[in-house]
Amino acid sequence: MKKSKVIQILKSLTSLEMKSFGRYIEYKSTSVNSKLLEFYDYLKEYHPKYSEKDIDKKAISKRVFPKEANGLKKINNLIFRIKPLLLDFIIQLELEEREVDREFLLLNGLKSKKLFKLFFREAEQLEKKWGETSEMGIERLFNLYKLKKMKMFHHGLFDETGFSAQANVIMQQLEKYFFAEKLYGSLGDHFTGVFIKNQEIADEELTIPMEELIKQTERTHLAENKQIGLLAKIFNATASNDFSKYEEIELYFYENYTCFNNNEIKELVTYLAQICYKNHQQGNGNALNDLFRINKFAAEQKMLLQNAIIASDSFHNVVNIALVVNELEWVKFFIDEYSPFLQESEKKDTISLCKAKCHFYSNEFEEALKLLLTLKHLTSFYGLQARALLLQVYFEMEDCFEVFDNAINAFKLYLSRHKTIAPPHKESFYNFVKFVKRLYGYKFIKDKESLHRLQAEINACSLIVNKVWLLNKITLFIK
């Protein structure tokens, strides 16, 4: 019985849902179904683990039908009777969460009962409510299409209202949904690395080529749609790898992000952050400030949390970017605000490392060093981050040549021994070690010609951590 559909569904229910299912059985049952309730009580007792021993049909039969010879047959009958109730209960759970589906079911019910006035009254109120709701989402465009279509093709339309909807209006609404969904899906493919260029697809496999689709978005009824407008701007920038109009895109996002639902907004924030990062790689000096603004927006909107947890790498990324653009006070606020949401196993090291970074950027090198020496380096991530910051601290402190050199050698050994570090990450930190060691020598002899060559090498290096800090140091040495 353990592999039966009934048991599989019951195991998926929470304790609260299991109790609600019992009330649902009582509501649907009559006095002749008392054995069904006893059967439910037995299943509830062993929910949700259901070991093979506990749900053996013979064991259940002895409990529910202790004096009957054909108990196994009756247990099979109870399973047959409880299954449709359980499936209906699952539907009810879904409907409780899906308000739009309930609203469409109501409209269909009014329509089937030929309650025309009520139908149109509810439809108009629903369309008005959707227009006033701040959180929309791309799916809302499709729901509006369905609503307009339902109103137009209602057989009581001309008897009950003077409303005359033309087919063109309905098709335009459907087009809005199609174009928005197509653009949104294409962006997702692009940023997850599965974006396929049109020329790599056979003509017969294409619905609408992306170039043609973008052109079509300039049609009036599509261009006026804020969701399509934003998605088209992001798609054009990413497809062409041209981010010169990023500020325009970001402003358009802030003005219109409420047209999307929460999940879509999170995705769009991720896309904008990746654009900023690519823009930074292309040498745009303002890109990190742009990235900070997006991170700050995500933090303020609580978009960095997943099930009330913030990933430690996300925490560090936000802190690192904010510090690079000299937003020290905001970083301190962020650490206080978000540290309670870190996983307990990583919380202490994450907070210590981030506070050490704050001390470093405040030129409080002794305080940074104290915190770095308390880290346990539970993972390679902390080992890399802490060792890199340790080199920066020793670089800035006076009379630390020997400990700096020892730290360089220790870091190289660490990188060579840890085979599990991803090659791009290892190369990024190895390049940092190489360049910071060379730069250290110029603290004492300011050879501007050599510094310019080093500056060019670092600028040309795409895989390197703390690149901005290294370049800032060189700029100071050249002056």
Side-chain angles (χ1 to χ4, degrees):
M1 186 176 170
K2 190 172 184 177
K3 295 182 179 180
S4 73
K5 183 182 290 187
V6 168
I7 294 300
Q8 293 301 310
I9 295 175
L10 288 176
K11 287 176 68 175
S12 71
L13 299 181
T14 65
S15 297
L16 185 60
E17 289 170 344
M18 190 66 178
K19 291 178 182 178
S20 297
F21 180 49
R23 293 192 293 271
Y24 185 77
I25 293 175
E26 291 178 4
Y27 172 73
K28 289 285 187 177
S29 300
T30 62
S31 57
V32 297
N33 287 327
S34 59
K35 287 298 180 181
L36 188 63
L37 289 170
E38 286 186 41
F39 180 48
Y40 158 79
D41 287 335
Y42 182 92
L43 294 174
K44 178 187 172 186
E45 182 178 340
Y46 296 102
H47 176 269
K49 294 184 178 180
Y50 295 126
S51 68
E52 198 71 55
K53 175 185 175 183
D54 294 330
I55 55 173
D56 179 74
K57 289 183 180 179
K58 290 182 180 179
I60 301 173
S61 175
K62 289 180 181 178
R63 174 81 71 85
V64 182
F65 301 104
K67 298 180 181 180
E68 301 195 29
N70 60 344
L72 284 177
K73 183 177 179 181
K74 291 190 174 184
I75 290 298
N76 287 329
N77 179 259
L78 289 177
I79 294 172
F80 177 78
R81 288 164 57 195
I82 204 171
K83 182 178 176 181
L85 289 173
L86 181 56
L87 295 177
D88 284 344
F89 177 70
I90 293 295
I91 293 172
Q92 290 298 319
L93 288 179
E94 282 298 302
L95 285 175
E96 287 177 9
E97 300 295 325
R98 301 175 68 164
E99 183 182 355
V100 172
D101 289 339
R102 296 200 307 271
E103 288 163 335
F104 274 118
L105 283 173
L106 173 60
L107 290 176
N108 279 318
L110 295 174
K111 178 180 177 181
S112 65
K113 297 297 183 183
K114 298 182 180 181
L115 298 170
F116 303 144
K117 288 184 178 180
L118 283 176
F119 170 84
F120 284 109
R121 187 186 304 161
E122 289 293 329
E124 294 294 338
Q125 289 177 354
L126 182 57
E127 191 167 2
K128 181 181 179 182
K129 183 177 76 172
W130 285 349
E132 296 172 348
T133 304
S134 58
E135 181 183 306
M136 295 175 61
I138 295 172
E139 191 69 23
R140 179 64 54 83
L141 297 174
F142 184 62
N143 290 332
L144 282 168
Y145 157 74
K146 290 197 297 182
L147 182 59
K148 290 179 183 293
K149 182 179 178 181
M150 185 181 288
K151 287 166 64 179
M152 177 179 175
F153 292 105
H154 194 289
H155 56 263
L157 175 64
F158 298 106
D159 295 331
E160 302 299 324
T161 76
F163 176 78
S164 178
Q166 299 181 9
N168 185 49
V169 175
I170 295 176
M171 293 312 299
Q172 285 183 353
Q173 184 63 48
L174 181 59
E175 282 184 341
K176 290 177 184 178
Y177 169 71
F178 169 77
F179 278 84
E181 186 67 19
K182 181 74 172 178
L183 286 168
Y184 184 71
S186 297
L187 283 172
D189 291 344
H190 176 80
F191 283 106
T192 53
V194 295
F195 183 77
I196 302 174
K197 295 181 180 179
N198 287 332
Q199 57 265 33
E200 297 175 351
I201 309 174
D203 289 341
E204 62 272 15
E205 296 177 9
L206 286 171
T207 50
I208 298 179
M210 291 305 300
E211 293 87 349
E212 181 61 30
L213 185 138
I214 291 296
K215 290 180 182 178
Q216 290 294 318
T217 61
E218 297 174 2
R219 292 161 58 196
T220 303
H221 71 285
L222 298 176
E224 291 175 348
N225 182 270
K226 303 300 184 183
Q227 292 151 306
I228 293 174
L230 177 59
L231 294 169
K233 288 178 186 295
I234 297 175
F235 183 87
N236 279 327
T238 54
S240 63
N241 206 33
D242 179 7
F243 310 121
S244 58
K245 295 183 178 179
Y246 172 77
E247 289 187 5
E248 177 186 324
I249 296 172
E250 185 183 347
L251 178 61
Y252 200 85
F253 167 78
Y254 290 135
E255 290 175 344
N256 299 292
Y257 73 88
T258 55
C259 294
F260 298 86
N261 64 36
N262 286 335
N263 289 332
E264 291 163 356
I265 296 171
K266 286 183 180 180
E267 289 296 316
L268 292 173
V269 165
T270 301
Y271 301 158
L272 292 177
Q274 291 190 46
I275 287 175
C276 292
Y277 182 69
K278 289 182 179 180
N279 211 2
H280 170 63
Q281 288 182 315
Q282 292 180 2
N284 187 310
N286 293 321
L288 292 180
N289 287 287
D290 298 335
L291 182 53
F292 166 72
R293 289 196 304 273
I294 285 297
N295 286 343
K296 183 180 179 182
F297 171 83
E300 290 171 347
Q301 300 295 321
K302 302 298 183 188
M303 291 182 177
L304 301 174
L305 300 177
Q306 184 71 29
N307 297 323
I309 294 292
I310 181 171
S312 60
D313 55 346
S314 296
F315 194 97
H316 282 286
N317 287 337
V318 171
V319 168
N320 290 341
I321 296 300
L323 288 173
V324 168
V325 297
N326 298 316
E327 292 286 348
L328 185 59
E329 291 305 314
W330 186 86
V331 170
K332 293 176 181 178
F333 164 78
F334 174 80
I335 292 173
D336 291 340
E337 184 79 7
Y338 270 86
S339 57
F341 301 106
L342 288 162
Q343 290 187 343
E344 285 299 325
S345 60
E346 298 181 326
K347 183 179 291 187
K348 186 176 180 179
D349 269 7
T350 299
I351 295 172
S352 294
L353 181 54
C354 288
K355 286 187 175 181
K357 291 175 182 177
C358 287
H359 285 303
F360 174 77
Y361 278 89
S362 300
N363 296 324
E364 299 166 353
F365 305 123
E366 293 285 352
E367 295 301 318
L369 185 59
K370 288 178 184 178
L371 283 171
L372 285 174
L373 296 177
T374 67
L375 294 179
K376 296 180 180 179
H377 300 183
L378 297 175
T379 65
S380 60
F381 174 86
Y382 292 103
L384 293 169
Q385 292 273 330
R387 283 172 170 80
L389 182 58
L390 191 63
L391 286 181
Q392 291 174 281
V393 170
Y394 287 145
F395 185 99
E396 298 286 5
M397 295 176 71
E398 297 296 330
D399 302 322
C400 286
F401 173 76
E402 187 174 346
V403 290
F404 176 81
D405 194 52
N406 290 337
I408 287 283
N409 294 329
F411 204 166
K412 287 181 178 178
L413 186 62
Y414 181 85
L415 288 169
S416 64
R417 286 181 173 177
H418 284 72
K419 307 298 182 183
T420 58
I421 301 173
H425 289 142
K426 182 174 287 190
E427 185 176 352
S428 295
F429 282 94
Y430 179 78
N431 285 333
F432 171 72
V433 173
K434 177 180 66 175
F435 285 124
V436 77
K437 181 178 181 180
R438 288 173 58 185
L439 184 58
Y440 192 84
Y442 295 112
K443 285 184 67 176
F444 312 105
I445 303 175
K446 304 294 193 301
D447 183 344
K448 291 188 177 182
E449 186 177 340
S450 297
L451 281 167
H452 279 298
R453 286 198 297 269
L454 181 59
Q455 185 181 48
E457 286 184 56
I458 295 174
N459 270 319
C461 184
S462 59
L463 287 175
I464 181 172
V465 297
N466 300 321
K467 185 174 185 177
V468 173
W469 178 79
L470 288 168
L471 292 173
N472 287 340
K473 289 283 105 182
I474 291 177
T475 301
L476 288 173
F477 290 172
I478 290 175
K479 287 181 178 179

